[in-house]
Amino acid sequence: MINKTIAKEYIDTLGQFPDYQISIYDNHAKEICSTSNTKKYFSNIELENFLYSQESVSECKKGTLNCVLVRIYEDNITSCFISIAGVDNNLLPIATALKMSLEIRLKYDQIQSEEKETLTINEQLIKELVSDSIQVSKIFELCEQSNHSMEIERKMIMLIPDDLSSIDVLANMNLYYDSKEDIVGRLGQQLIVLKDMTRATGSEKDYIKVYLDFLIKNTSFRGKALVAYTSKTYDKVKFAYQSLTWLKKYASTHNPSALTLFFNDYIDIYCIAAIPFDILQNLFSSYTFDKETAKEFIVTTDALIRNNYNIVRSSKELFVHKNTLMYRLTKIKNEFDIDPVNSKSDRSFIKIYNYYLKQRIEGKGGTTDERN
């Protein structure tokens, strides 16, 4: 519906019509805005007669000027009308152009308002889905209001913008890709996307990468994207959110270079984090702890883990000669009697010990689950 803000913005854009006086009236025949605050070419009676008539256009002569009244519709209902006065003998084409442009503007405003309302419903739905105490009836109601199905398999993606001040803008942008079953809403300082996975063919990870590339190319989003497992039923969404909340905390502490983090790549660390620190401390009590040696172990094994124990890539990342890296690796092999390059079980040891050393250096401990 027309309002003073929209009317003024519209009038301000009409600089290309300096030879005409243009006014906008509401659906009660009251002037909202005009290009001139002095001369009025239509009486209140004339305006009201036009409003209550069945005419969509009215033309008349006012002294030396030609005048046109044209009705503006929204959903086949009169929203407002425009008057235009000028010396041209045929003002109807100009009046028609003004009518079309204002109706388009009002339609756009209506769509934006509906999208914002839908987004608000989506936010309520997402908050309900990630709640510890799910209210099934409430979820059904919100799904119905937002025209979403509860039966869709969805993958949760947490978008964390680099610039948190942009989150309001992003929350109102169209982040949909190939399905109206995508559910998007703001939750705290991040955006949550519950991506419909029924259209995914082949690798789910590749499908999500294509979607995220689409977002980067078509929206202002810049930041990290955290991706959970697919939730096959609505009651599993909260577990996806819990895992991504942990991954967000982990990423803020360890600063991984990748912009897209898949939770399944960190599942082992997530499980290790559930082990109370005193158990880890007892497990590794026979090994001598030296802070500098521990730091070298962490840096070296972090690079090896990230590069799947590829010596060349790891040495490049560490900016050391591969022989230097081999020397460090040999020290680790001799100290712990392991061979992580060739043994998967030894790689598990490396990850657990790496995690333990980080916790010890950071002064953490106790029996608290580090995932919380």
Side-chain angles (χ1 to χ4, degrees), residues 29-44:
K30 302 298 183 183
E31 185 181 282
I32 306 175
C33 201
S34 176
T35 56
S36 171
N37 296 321
T38 55
K39 185 69 175 176
K40 308 297 179 185
Y41 292 97
F42 292 94
S43 68
N44 289 338

Side-chain angles (χ1 to χ4, degrees), residues 202-216:
S203 165
E204 284 193 353
K205 184 177 283 191
D206 289 341
Y207 176 71
I208 292 299
K209 286 179 179 178
V210 171
Y211 170 63
L212 293 174
D213 285 343
F214 166 82
L215 290 188
I216 292 172

Side-chain angles (χ1 to χ4, degrees), residues 19-21 59-60 65-68 84-98:
D19 298 328
Y20 307 99
Q21 179 178 312
E59 297 181 86
C60 64
L65 296 177
N66 293 305
C67 301
V68 175
I84 178 170
V87 296
D88 287 12
N89 291 327
N90 188 6
L91 287 179
L92 188 57
I94 297 175
T96 302
L98 292 176

Side-chain angles (χ1 to χ4, degrees), residues 311-312 315-316 320-327:
I311 301 300
V312 174
S315 61
K316 286 182 179 179
V320 299
H321 193 277
K322 68 177 183 179
N323 290 342
T324 302
L325 179 56
M326 286 299 300
Y327 171 73

Side-chain angles (χ1 to χ4, degrees), residues 287-299:
Y287 298 114
T288 303
F289 176 81
D290 171 77
K291 195 168 185 178
E292 293 306 314
T293 303
K295 286 182 178 179
E296 181 181 281
F297 180 94
I298 290 169
V299 170

